[in-house]
Amino acid sequence: MKEIKIACIIMASGYSTRFGSNKLLANFCGESLANWTLNRIAQLNIPAVVVTRYQEIAELAKQYQIATVLHNEPYQNDTVRLGLEYFKPNENYDGYMFCTCDQPLLKTSTLIALSQAFQQEPHYIHRLAFNGTAGNPVIFPSAFVNQLLTLPQDKGGNVIVQKNIQQVKYVAVDNQLELLDIDTVKDLETAEKYKRSV
Protein backbone atom coordinates (compact mmCIF):
# COMPACT_ATOMS: atom_id res chain seq x y z
CA MET A 1 0.00 0.00 0.00
CA LYS A 2 1.31 3.42 -0.98
CA GLU A 3 2.53 5.61 1.86
CA ILE A 4 0.48 8.80 2.07
CA LYS A 5 2.81 11.76 2.58
CA ILE A 6 1.75 15.02 4.20
CA ALA A 7 3.68 18.28 4.39
CA CYS A 8 2.78 21.06 6.84
CA ILE A 9 2.62 24.78 6.11
CA ILE A 10 2.47 26.92 9.25
CA MET A 11 0.92 30.31 8.56
CA ALA A 12 2.54 32.94 10.78
CA SER A 13 2.33 36.17 8.80
CA GLY A 14 -0.70 37.94 10.26
CA TYR A 15 -0.57 41.54 11.45
CA SER A 16 -2.43 40.88 14.75
CA THR A 17 -4.49 44.03 14.24
CA ARG A 18 -7.17 43.16 16.79
CA PHE A 19 -4.62 41.99 19.34
CA GLY A 20 -2.69 45.26 19.31
CA SER A 21 0.80 43.75 19.10
CA ASN A 22 2.39 40.64 17.59
CA LYS A 23 0.21 38.02 19.24
CA LEU A 24 2.52 35.19 18.18
CA LEU A 25 5.12 36.52 20.62
CA ALA A 26 2.61 37.06 23.44
CA ASN A 27 3.18 35.09 26.63
CA PHE A 28 0.93 32.06 27.06
CA CYS A 29 1.54 30.02 30.21
CA GLY A 30 5.22 30.94 30.24
CA GLU A 31 5.99 30.49 26.54
CA SER A 32 5.33 32.50 23.40
CA LEU A 33 2.02 31.71 21.72
CA ALA A 34 3.79 30.52 18.56
CA ASN A 35 5.92 28.12 20.55
CA TRP A 36 2.92 25.96 21.42
CA THR A 37 2.08 25.30 17.76
CA LEU A 38 5.69 24.78 16.68
CA ASN A 39 6.20 22.25 19.47
CA ARG A 40 3.20 20.20 18.39
CA ILE A 41 4.04 20.26 14.70
CA ALA A 42 7.59 19.15 15.48
CA GLN A 43 6.16 16.11 17.26
CA LEU A 44 4.39 14.97 14.08
CA ASN A 45 7.73 14.27 12.38
CA ILE A 46 6.52 15.45 8.98
CA PRO A 47 8.17 18.00 6.67
CA ALA A 48 7.12 21.48 7.77
CA VAL A 49 7.77 25.12 6.93
CA VAL A 50 6.84 28.33 8.72
CA VAL A 51 5.85 31.20 6.45
CA THR A 52 6.33 34.45 8.35
CA ARG A 53 7.32 38.08 8.10
CA TYR A 54 8.84 38.03 11.60
CA GLN A 55 12.48 37.26 12.32
CA GLU A 56 11.58 36.30 15.89
CA ILE A 57 9.29 33.53 14.62
CA ALA A 58 12.03 32.31 12.28
CA GLU A 59 14.38 32.04 15.27
CA LEU A 60 11.77 30.05 17.22
CA ALA A 61 11.24 27.69 14.28
CA LYS A 62 14.98 27.07 14.08
CA GLN A 63 14.90 25.70 17.63
CA TYR A 64 12.56 22.97 16.38
CA GLN A 65 14.51 22.44 13.15
CA ILE A 66 11.51 23.69 11.17
CA ALA A 67 12.32 25.48 7.93
CA THR A 68 11.26 29.10 7.42
CA VAL A 69 10.25 31.28 4.50
CA LEU A 70 10.74 34.93 5.51
CA HIS A 71 8.88 37.39 3.33
CA ASN A 72 7.32 40.84 3.03
CA GLU A 73 4.32 39.93 0.89
CA PRO A 74 1.10 41.62 2.06
CA TYR A 75 -1.72 39.12 1.64
CA GLN A 76 -2.99 35.82 3.01
CA ASN A 77 -2.92 34.22 -0.44
CA ASP A 78 0.78 35.14 -0.63
CA THR A 79 1.45 33.15 2.54
CA VAL A 80 -0.33 30.11 1.10
CA ARG A 81 1.55 30.38 -2.20
CA LEU A 82 4.96 30.80 -0.57
CA GLY A 83 4.41 27.77 1.62
CA LEU A 84 3.44 25.59 -1.32
CA GLU A 85 6.31 26.89 -3.46
CA TYR A 86 8.72 25.85 -0.73
CA PHE A 87 7.66 22.22 -1.23
CA LYS A 88 7.03 22.36 -4.98
CA PRO A 89 10.48 21.05 -6.03
CA ASN A 90 9.51 17.87 -4.18
CA GLU A 91 6.11 17.10 -5.67
CA ASN A 92 5.54 13.69 -4.11
CA TYR A 93 3.30 14.91 -1.27
CA ASP A 94 -0.28 13.69 -1.23
CA GLY A 95 -1.57 16.40 1.06
CA TYR A 96 -0.72 19.77 2.58
CA MET A 97 -1.73 20.59 6.13
CA PHE A 98 -2.27 24.30 6.72
CA CYS A 99 -1.94 25.37 10.35
CA THR A 100 -2.24 28.74 11.98
CA CYS A 101 0.17 29.62 14.76
CA ASP A 102 -2.39 30.90 17.25
CA GLN A 103 -4.22 27.81 18.56
CA PRO A 104 -2.39 27.04 21.80
CA LEU A 105 -4.93 24.49 23.06
CA LEU A 106 -4.72 22.26 19.98
CA LYS A 107 -3.39 18.85 21.03
CA THR A 108 -0.79 16.73 19.29
CA SER A 109 -3.18 13.77 19.43
CA THR A 110 -5.76 15.81 17.51
CA LEU A 111 -3.24 16.63 14.79
CA ILE A 112 -2.35 12.94 14.57
CA ALA A 113 -6.04 12.02 14.27
CA LEU A 114 -6.46 14.56 11.47
CA SER A 115 -3.42 13.17 9.64
CA GLN A 116 -4.63 9.60 10.02
CA ALA A 117 -8.08 10.49 8.68
CA PHE A 118 -6.47 12.03 5.61
CA GLN A 119 -4.26 8.99 5.10
CA GLN A 120 -7.35 6.79 5.01
CA GLU A 121 -9.17 8.99 2.49
CA PRO A 122 -6.51 11.12 0.77
CA HIS A 123 -8.74 12.41 -2.01
CA TYR A 124 -10.86 14.45 0.41
CA ILE A 125 -10.21 17.77 2.12
CA HIS A 126 -10.01 17.12 5.87
CA ARG A 127 -10.52 19.63 8.64
CA LEU A 128 -11.29 19.73 12.34
CA ALA A 129 -14.74 20.53 13.66
CA PHE A 130 -16.66 20.78 16.92
CA ASN A 131 -20.41 20.06 16.82
CA GLY A 132 -20.53 20.92 13.13
CA THR A 133 -18.54 24.14 13.43
CA ALA A 134 -15.39 23.83 11.34
CA GLY A 135 -11.94 25.05 12.32
CA ASN A 136 -8.25 24.71 11.59
CA PRO A 137 -6.00 22.97 10.63
CA VAL A 138 -7.10 21.84 7.16
CA ILE A 139 -5.42 19.23 4.93
CA PHE A 140 -5.83 19.69 1.18
CA PRO A 141 -5.12 16.87 -1.28
CA SER A 142 -2.40 17.66 -3.81
CA ALA A 143 -5.10 17.87 -6.52
CA PHE A 144 -5.96 21.32 -5.13
CA VAL A 145 -2.42 22.73 -5.34
CA ASN A 146 -3.02 24.77 -8.49
CA GLN A 147 -6.14 26.34 -6.99
CA LEU A 148 -4.24 27.13 -3.78
CA LEU A 149 -1.45 28.75 -5.78
CA THR A 150 -3.92 31.06 -7.52
CA LEU A 151 -6.23 32.14 -4.69
CA PRO A 152 -7.93 35.54 -4.96
CA GLN A 153 -6.09 38.44 -3.34
CA ASP A 154 -6.08 38.26 0.46
CA LYS A 155 -8.14 35.05 0.52
CA GLY A 156 -7.18 31.74 2.10
CA GLY A 157 -8.01 28.12 1.46
CA ASN A 158 -11.55 28.48 2.81
CA VAL A 159 -12.55 29.77 -0.63
CA ILE A 160 -11.72 26.33 -2.02
CA VAL A 161 -13.40 24.53 0.86
CA GLN A 162 -16.67 26.38 0.22
CA LYS A 163 -16.56 25.59 -3.51
CA ASN A 164 -15.94 21.89 -2.79
CA ILE A 165 -18.04 21.33 0.30
CA GLN A 166 -19.07 17.84 -0.86
CA GLN A 167 -15.41 16.82 -0.77
CA VAL A 168 -14.84 17.84 2.84
CA LYS A 169 -14.48 15.34 5.68
CA TYR A 170 -14.65 16.54 9.27
CA VAL A 171 -12.60 15.20 12.15
CA ALA A 172 -14.38 15.88 15.43
CA VAL A 173 -12.72 17.38 18.49
CA ASP A 174 -14.38 16.92 21.86
CA ASN A 175 -13.39 20.32 23.26
CA GLN A 176 -14.39 23.50 21.46
CA LEU A 177 -11.44 25.38 22.96
CA GLU A 178 -9.01 23.29 20.92
CA LEU A 179 -10.19 25.23 17.88
CA LEU A 180 -9.94 28.64 19.56
CA ASP A 181 -7.63 30.93 17.66
CA ILE A 182 -6.30 33.91 19.53
CA ASP A 183 -7.44 37.16 17.93
CA THR A 184 -7.74 39.40 21.00
CA VAL A 185 -6.20 39.75 24.43
CA LYS A 186 -9.50 38.47 25.85
CA ASP A 187 -9.14 35.29 23.77
CA LEU A 188 -5.68 34.80 25.22
CA GLU A 189 -6.98 35.24 28.77
CA THR A 190 -9.79 32.72 28.11
CA ALA A 191 -7.35 30.13 26.77
CA GLU A 192 -4.87 30.67 29.59
CA LYS A 193 -7.58 30.37 32.25
CA TYR A 194 -8.67 27.03 30.76
CA LYS A 195 -5.09 25.77 30.38
CA ARG A 196 -4.32 26.47 34.02
CA SER A 197 -7.50 24.71 35.14
CA VAL A 198 -6.73 21.33 33.57
Side-chain angles (χ1 to χ4, degrees):
M1 189 173 172
K2 180 181 180 289
E3 181 188 359
I4 303 299
K5 295 183 179 179
I6 301 169
C8 181
I9 296 164
I10 304 167
M11 316 263 286
S13 298
Y15 292 104
S16 305
T17 306
R18 282 184 281 170
F19 195 84
S21 60
N22 188 349
K23 64 182 177 182
L24 301 183
L25 301 176
N27 179 57
F28 179 79
C29 296
E31 299 179 35
S32 68
L33 187 62
N35 200 67
W36 291 84
T37 296
L38 295 172
N39 179 283
R40 281 153 183 72
I41 297 300
Q43 291 178 50
L44 296 180
N45 291 317
I46 61 174
V49 63
V50 177
V51 185
T52 186
R53 64 182 77 255
Y54 305 111
Q55 184 64 47
E56 299 95 328
I57 302 300
E59 293 300 320
L60 269 178
K62 193 182 295 183
Q63 294 175 26
Y64 291 98
Q65 298 181 312
I66 297 175
T68 306
V69 173
L70 267 171
H71 70 97
N72 288 306
E73 301 287 343
Y75 299 118
Q76 188 178 359
N77 60 297
D78 295 318
T79 306
V80 172
R81 175 178 50 78
L82 290 167
L84 285 168
E85 286 175 348
Y86 173 83
F87 288 113
K88 202 177 179 187
N90 187 355
E91 292 179 330
N92 63 345
Y93 294 108
D94 301 282
Y96 296 87
M97 179 190 292
F98 286 86
C99 296
T100 61
C101 221
D102 60 357
Q103 291 179 275
L105 301 177
L106 192 60
K107 295 186 290 192
T108 306
S109 58
T110 300
L111 291 170
I112 291 171
L114 180 65
S115 300
Q116 289 175 340
F118 178 80
Q119 287 165 344
Q120 289 167 10
E121 297 184 282
H123 300 297
Y124 288 89
I125 298 167
H126 285 70
R127 71 183 312 181
L128 298 180
F130 176 80
N131 282 356
T133 300
N136 292 311
V138 180
I139 304 180
F140 287 94
S142 58
F144 289 96
V145 164
N146 287 339
Q147 291 180 56
L148 288 162
L149 286 170
T150 55
L151 286 167
Q153 183 172 296
D154 210 22
K155 297 294 183 181
N158 203 46
V159 171
I160 296 170
V161 171
Q162 295 308 315
K163 283 182 182 176
N164 298 275
I165 207 73
Q166 299 302 318
Q167 281 186 260
V168 180
K169 298 279 187 177
Y170 297 97
V171 177
V173 298
D174 54 17
N175 185 341
Q176 187 175 11
L177 287 175
E178 273 202 79
L179 302 184
L180 174 67
D181 50 26
I182 306 301
D183 289 326
T184 65
V185 172
K186 187 176 180 181
D187 291 337
L188 188 70
E189 290 169 352
T190 298
E192 190 153 26
K193 184 178 179 181
Y194 172 78
K195 184 72 176 177
R196 294 193 184 282
S197 72
V198 295

PDB file of all heavy atoms in Angstrom, residues 125-148:
ATOM      1  N   ILE A 125     -10.691  16.721   1.211  1.00  0.00           N
ATOM      2  CA  ILE A 125     -10.213  17.769   2.120  1.00  0.00           C
ATOM      3  C   ILE A 125     -10.611  17.346   3.534  1.00  0.00           C
ATOM      4  O   ILE A 125     -11.740  16.913   3.761  1.00  0.00           O
ATOM      5  CB  ILE A 125     -10.859  19.127   1.780  1.00  0.00           C
ATOM      6  CG1 ILE A 125     -10.470  19.571   0.362  1.00  0.00           C
ATOM      7  CG2 ILE A 125     -10.474  20.193   2.806  1.00  0.00           C
ATOM      8  CD1 ILE A 125     -11.304  20.736  -0.159  1.00  0.00           C
ATOM      9  N   HIS A 126      -9.696  17.464   4.477  1.00  0.00           N
ATOM     10  CA  HIS A 126     -10.007  17.120   5.866  1.00  0.00           C
ATOM     11  C   HIS A 126      -9.780  18.339   6.760  1.00  0.00           C
ATOM     12  O   HIS A 126      -8.770  19.045   6.606  1.00  0.00           O
ATOM     13  CB  HIS A 126      -9.109  15.971   6.349  1.00  0.00           C
ATOM     14  CG  HIS A 126      -9.519  14.639   5.797  1.00  0.00           C
ATOM     15  ND1 HIS A 126      -9.357  14.298   4.478  1.00  0.00           N
ATOM     16  CD2 HIS A 126     -10.091  13.560   6.397  1.00  0.00           C
ATOM     17  CE1 HIS A 126      -9.804  13.067   4.282  1.00  0.00           C
ATOM     18  NE2 HIS A 126     -10.254  12.603   5.436  1.00  0.00           N
ATOM     19  N   ARG A 127     -10.695  18.530   7.677  1.00  0.00           N
ATOM     20  CA  ARG A 127     -10.515  19.628   8.639  1.00  0.00           C
ATOM     21  C   ARG A 127     -11.152  19.261   9.977  1.00  0.00           C
ATOM     22  O   ARG A 127     -12.001  18.376  10.052  1.00  0.00           O
ATOM     23  CB  ARG A 127     -11.094  20.930   8.098  1.00  0.00           C
ATOM     24  CG  ARG A 127     -12.587  21.026   8.018  1.00  0.00           C
ATOM     25  CD  ARG A 127     -13.034  22.342   7.397  1.00  0.00           C
ATOM     26  NE  ARG A 127     -12.369  23.499   7.987  1.00  0.00           N
ATOM     27  CZ  ARG A 127     -12.597  24.754   7.636  1.00  0.00           C
ATOM     28  NH1 ARG A 127     -13.472  25.031   6.697  1.00  0.00           N
ATOM     29  NH2 ARG A 127     -11.966  25.760   8.233  1.00  0.00           N
ATOM     30  N   LEU A 128     -10.746  19.961  11.002  1.00  0.00           N
ATOM     31  CA  LEU A 128     -11.287  19.730  12.339  1.00  0.00           C
ATOM     32  C   LEU A 128     -12.632  20.429  12.485  1.00  0.00           C
ATOM     33  O   LEU A 128     -12.911  21.423  11.810  1.00  0.00           O
ATOM     34  CB  LEU A 128     -10.314  20.243  13.399  1.00  0.00           C
ATOM     35  CG  LEU A 128      -8.935  19.576  13.438  1.00  0.00           C
ATOM     36  CD1 LEU A 128      -8.073  20.198  14.539  1.00  0.00           C
ATOM     37  CD2 LEU A 128      -9.056  18.072  13.651  1.00  0.00           C
ATOM     38  N   ALA A 129     -13.451  19.918  13.394  1.00  0.00           N
ATOM     39  CA  ALA A 129     -14.743  20.534  13.665  1.00  0.00           C
ATOM     40  C   ALA A 129     -15.214  20.167  15.067  1.00  0.00           C
ATOM     41  O   ALA A 129     -14.867  19.113  15.598  1.00  0.00           O
ATOM     42  CB  ALA A 129     -15.781  20.082  12.642  1.00  0.00           C
ATOM     43  N   PHE A 130     -16.014  21.053  15.644  1.00  0.00           N
ATOM     44  CA  PHE A 130     -16.660  20.776  16.923  1.00  0.00           C
ATOM     45  C   PHE A 130     -18.156  21.013  16.746  1.00  0.00           C
ATOM     46  O   PHE A 130     -18.591  22.122  16.405  1.00  0.00           O
ATOM     47  CB  PHE A 130     -16.121  21.695  18.026  1.00  0.00           C
ATOM     48  CG  PHE A 130     -16.819  21.512  19.350  1.00  0.00           C
ATOM     49  CD1 PHE A 130     -16.480  20.462  20.188  1.00  0.00           C
ATOM     50  CD2 PHE A 130     -17.844  22.376  19.737  1.00  0.00           C
ATOM     51  CE1 PHE A 130     -17.139  20.271  21.394  1.00  0.00           C
ATOM     52  CE2 PHE A 130     -18.507  22.202  20.942  1.00  0.00           C
ATOM     53  CZ  PHE A 130     -18.154  21.144  21.772  1.00  0.00           C
ATOM     54  N   ASN A 131     -18.949  19.960  16.955  1.00  0.00           N
ATOM     55  CA  ASN A 131     -20.412  20.056  16.821  1.00  0.00           C
ATOM     56  C   ASN A 131     -20.834  20.739  15.522  1.00  0.00           C
ATOM     57  O   ASN A 131     -21.728  21.605  15.521  1.00  0.00           O
ATOM     58  CB  ASN A 131     -21.009  20.801  18.018  1.00  0.00           C
ATOM     59  CG  ASN A 131     -21.108  19.910  19.244  1.00  0.00           C
ATOM     60  OD1 ASN A 131     -20.799  18.722  19.196  1.00  0.00           O
ATOM     61  ND2 ASN A 131     -21.520  20.489  20.361  1.00  0.00           N
ATOM     62  N   GLY A 132     -20.153  20.388  14.434  1.00  0.00           N
ATOM     63  CA  GLY A 132     -20.531  20.922  13.134  1.00  0.00           C
ATOM     64  C   GLY A 132     -19.905  22.250  12.771  1.00  0.00           C
ATOM     65  O   GLY A 132     -20.045  22.720  11.633  1.00  0.00           O
ATOM     66  N   THR A 133     -19.222  22.881  13.729  1.00  0.00           N
ATOM     67  CA  THR A 133     -18.536  24.139  13.427  1.00  0.00           C
ATOM     68  C   THR A 133     -17.087  23.842  13.073  1.00  0.00           C
ATOM     69  O   THR A 133     -16.336  23.302  13.882  1.00  0.00           O
ATOM     70  CB  THR A 133     -18.583  25.093  14.632  1.00  0.00           C
ATOM     71  OG1 THR A 133     -19.945  25.364  14.956  1.00  0.00           O
ATOM     72  CG2 THR A 133     -17.863  26.401  14.322  1.00  0.00           C
ATOM     73  N   ALA A 134     -16.709  24.187  11.851  1.00  0.00           N
ATOM     74  CA  ALA A 134     -15.388  23.826  11.341  1.00  0.00           C
ATOM     75  C   ALA A 134     -14.306  24.771  11.851  1.00  0.00           C
ATOM     76  O   ALA A 134     -14.571  25.926  12.204  1.00  0.00           O
ATOM     77  CB  ALA A 134     -15.402  23.832   9.822  1.00  0.00           C
ATOM     78  N   GLY A 135     -13.083  24.243  11.903  1.00  0.00           N
ATOM     79  CA  GLY A 135     -11.944  25.046  12.323  1.00  0.00           C
ATOM     80  C   GLY A 135     -10.676  24.568  11.647  1.00  0.00           C
ATOM     81  O   GLY A 135     -10.694  23.765  10.718  1.00  0.00           O
ATOM     82  N   ASN A 136      -9.569  25.067  12.120  1.00  0.00           N
ATOM     83  CA  ASN A 136      -8.246  24.714  11.586  1.00  0.00           C
ATOM     84  C   ASN A 136      -7.564  23.708  12.503  1.00  0.00           C
ATOM     85  O   ASN A 136      -7.882  23.639  13.682  1.00  0.00           O
ATOM     86  CB  ASN A 136      -7.386  25.980  11.475  1.00  0.00           C
ATOM     87  CG  ASN A 136      -7.909  26.908  10.407  1.00  0.00           C
ATOM     88  OD1 ASN A 136      -8.177  26.498   9.288  1.00  0.00           O
ATOM     89  ND2 ASN A 136      -8.078  28.170  10.766  1.00  0.00           N
ATOM     90  N   PRO A 137      -6.587  22.977  11.968  1.00  0.00           N
ATOM     91  CA  PRO A 137      -6.004  22.971  10.629  1.00  0.00           C
ATOM     92  C   PRO A 137      -6.893  22.287   9.578  1.00  0.00           C
ATOM     93  O   PRO A 137      -7.885  21.641   9.897  1.00  0.00           O
ATOM     94  CB  PRO A 137      -4.705  22.188  10.800  1.00  0.00           C
ATOM     95  CG  PRO A 137      -4.439  22.124  12.260  1.00  0.00           C
ATOM     96  CD  PRO A 137      -5.789  22.170  12.903  1.00  0.00           C
ATOM     97  N   VAL A 138      -6.453  22.455   8.309  1.00  0.00           N
ATOM     98  CA  VAL A 138      -7.096  21.835   7.161  1.00  0.00           C
ATOM     99  C   VAL A 138      -6.024  21.125   6.341  1.00  0.00           C
ATOM    100  O   VAL A 138      -4.916  21.659   6.184  1.00  0.00           O
ATOM    101  CB  VAL A 138      -7.797  22.883   6.276  1.00  0.00           C
ATOM    102  CG1 VAL A 138      -8.469  22.216   5.075  1.00  0.00           C
ATOM    103  CG2 VAL A 138      -8.805  23.695   7.079  1.00  0.00           C
ATOM    104  N   ILE A 139      -6.330  19.928   5.845  1.00  0.00           N
ATOM    105  CA  ILE A 139      -5.421  19.233   4.932  1.00  0.00           C
ATOM    106  C   ILE A 139      -6.074  19.182   3.553  1.00  0.00           C
ATOM    107  O   ILE A 139      -7.189  18.679   3.407  1.00  0.00           O
ATOM    108  CB  ILE A 139      -5.093  17.801   5.392  1.00  0.00           C
ATOM    109  CG1 ILE A 139      -4.515  17.799   6.811  1.00  0.00           C
ATOM    110  CG2 ILE A 139      -4.096  17.147   4.418  1.00  0.00           C
ATOM    111  CD1 ILE A 139      -4.172  16.408   7.347  1.00  0.00           C
ATOM    112  N   PHE A 140      -5.366  19.718   2.563  1.00  0.00           N
ATOM    113  CA  PHE A 140      -5.831  19.688   1.178  1.00  0.00           C
ATOM    114  C   PHE A 140      -5.089  18.607   0.407  1.00  0.00           C
ATOM    115  O   PHE A 140      -3.854  18.530   0.483  1.00  0.00           O
ATOM    116  CB  PHE A 140      -5.569  21.027   0.487  1.00  0.00           C
ATOM    117  CG  PHE A 140      -6.470  22.141   0.926  1.00  0.00           C
ATOM    118  CD1 PHE A 140      -6.079  23.002   1.942  1.00  0.00           C
ATOM    119  CD2 PHE A 140      -7.700  22.341   0.321  1.00  0.00           C
ATOM    120  CE1 PHE A 140      -6.901  24.036   2.352  1.00  0.00           C
ATOM    121  CE2 PHE A 140      -8.534  23.376   0.726  1.00  0.00           C
ATOM    122  CZ  PHE A 140      -8.137  24.225   1.739  1.00  0.00           C
ATOM    123  N   PRO A 141      -5.795  17.790  -0.372  1.00  0.00           N
ATOM    124  CA  PRO A 141      -5.116  16.868  -1.278  1.00  0.00           C
ATOM    125  C   PRO A 141      -4.301  17.635  -2.319  1.00  0.00           C
ATOM    126  O   PRO A 141      -4.622  18.783  -2.656  1.00  0.00           O
ATOM    127  CB  PRO A 141      -6.275  16.118  -1.954  1.00  0.00           C
ATOM    128  CG  PRO A 141      -7.458  16.324  -1.082  1.00  0.00           C
ATOM    129  CD  PRO A 141      -7.265  17.658  -0.435  1.00  0.00           C
ATOM    130  N   SER A 142      -3.282  17.000  -2.841  1.00  0.00           N
ATOM    131  CA  SER A 142      -2.401  17.659  -3.814  1.00  0.00           C
ATOM    132  C   SER A 142      -3.151  18.094  -5.075  1.00  0.00           C
ATOM    133  O   SER A 142      -2.706  18.998  -5.781  1.00  0.00           O
ATOM    134  CB  SER A 142      -1.240  16.738  -4.178  1.00  0.00           C
ATOM    135  OG  SER A 142      -1.723  15.519  -4.712  1.00  0.00           O
ATOM    136  N   ALA A 143      -4.308  17.484  -5.352  1.00  0.00           N
ATOM    137  CA  ALA A 143      -5.097  17.871  -6.518  1.00  0.00           C
ATOM    138  C   ALA A 143      -5.544  19.333  -6.471  1.00  0.00           C
ATOM    139  O   ALA A 143      -5.875  19.925  -7.508  1.00  0.00           O
ATOM    140  CB  ALA A 143      -6.330  16.966  -6.644  1.00  0.00           C
ATOM    141  N   PHE A 144      -5.525  19.929  -5.280  1.00  0.00           N
ATOM    142  CA  PHE A 144      -5.959  21.320  -5.130  1.00  0.00           C
ATOM    143  C   PHE A 144      -4.797  22.314  -5.166  1.00  0.00           C
ATOM    144  O   PHE A 144      -5.028  23.519  -4.982  1.00  0.00           O
ATOM    145  CB  PHE A 144      -6.729  21.489  -3.815  1.00  0.00           C
ATOM    146  CG  PHE A 144      -8.083  20.842  -3.823  1.00  0.00           C
ATOM    147  CD1 PHE A 144      -8.259  19.565  -3.297  1.00  0.00           C
ATOM    148  CD2 PHE A 144      -9.182  21.484  -4.362  1.00  0.00           C
ATOM    149  CE1 PHE A 144      -9.512  18.954  -3.307  1.00  0.00           C
ATOM    150  CE2 PHE A 144     -10.434  20.889  -4.383  1.00  0.00           C
ATOM    151  CZ  PHE A 144     -10.601  19.617  -3.858  1.00  0.00           C
ATOM    152  N   VAL A 145      -3.585  21.847  -5.405  1.00  0.00           N
ATOM    153  CA  VAL A 145      -2.421  22.735  -5.344  1.00  0.00           C
ATOM    154  C   VAL A 145      -2.550  23.917  -6.296  1.00  0.00           C
ATOM    155  O   VAL A 145      -2.296  25.072  -5.919  1.00  0.00           O
ATOM    156  CB  VAL A 145      -1.112  21.957  -5.602  1.00  0.00           C
ATOM    157  CG1 VAL A 145       0.042  22.902  -5.939  1.00  0.00           C
ATOM    158  CG2 VAL A 145      -0.741  21.129  -4.376  1.00  0.00           C
ATOM    159  N   ASN A 146      -2.935  23.664  -7.536  1.00  0.00           N
ATOM    160  CA  ASN A 146      -3.025  24.768  -8.493  1.00  0.00           C
ATOM    161  C   ASN A 146      -4.033  25.820  -8.062  1.00  0.00           C
ATOM    162  O   ASN A 146      -3.799  27.027  -8.229  1.00  0.00           O
ATOM    163  CB  ASN A 146      -3.371  24.240  -9.884  1.00  0.00           C
ATOM    164  CG  ASN A 146      -2.196  23.532 -10.541  1.00  0.00           C
ATOM    165  OD1 ASN A 146      -1.042  23.756 -10.169  1.00  0.00           O
ATOM    166  ND2 ASN A 146      -2.473  22.660 -11.490  1.00  0.00           N
ATOM    167  N   GLN A 147      -5.150  25.379  -7.486  1.00  0.00           N
ATOM    168  CA  GLN A 147      -6.138  26.338  -6.991  1.00  0.00           C
ATOM    169  C   GLN A 147      -5.588  27.126  -5.801  1.00  0.00           C
ATOM    170  O   GLN A 147      -5.849  28.327  -5.667  1.00  0.00           O
ATOM    171  CB  GLN A 147      -7.424  25.615  -6.582  1.00  0.00           C
ATOM    172  CG  GLN A 147      -8.197  25.025  -7.750  1.00  0.00           C
ATOM    173  CD  GLN A 147      -9.461  24.334  -7.289  1.00  0.00           C
ATOM    174  OE1 GLN A 147     -10.303  24.938  -6.619  1.00  0.00           O
ATOM    175  NE2 GLN A 147      -9.607  23.059  -7.629  1.00  0.00           N
ATOM    176  N   LEU A 148      -4.841  26.454  -4.947  1.00  0.00           N
ATOM    177  CA  LEU A 148      -4.244  27.132  -3.784  1.00  0.00           C
ATOM    178  C   LEU A 148      -3.181  28.143  -4.205  1.00  0.00           C
ATOM    179  O   LEU A 148      -3.013  29.180  -3.562  1.00  0.00           O
ATOM    180  CB  LEU A 148      -3.641  26.102  -2.833  1.00  0.00           C
ATOM    181  CG  LEU A 148      -4.651  25.250  -2.051  1.00  0.00           C
ATOM    182  CD1 LEU A 148      -3.979  23.998  -1.487  1.00  0.00           C
ATOM    183  CD2 LEU A 148      -5.294  26.064  -0.928  1.00  0.00           C
TER     184      LEU A 148
END
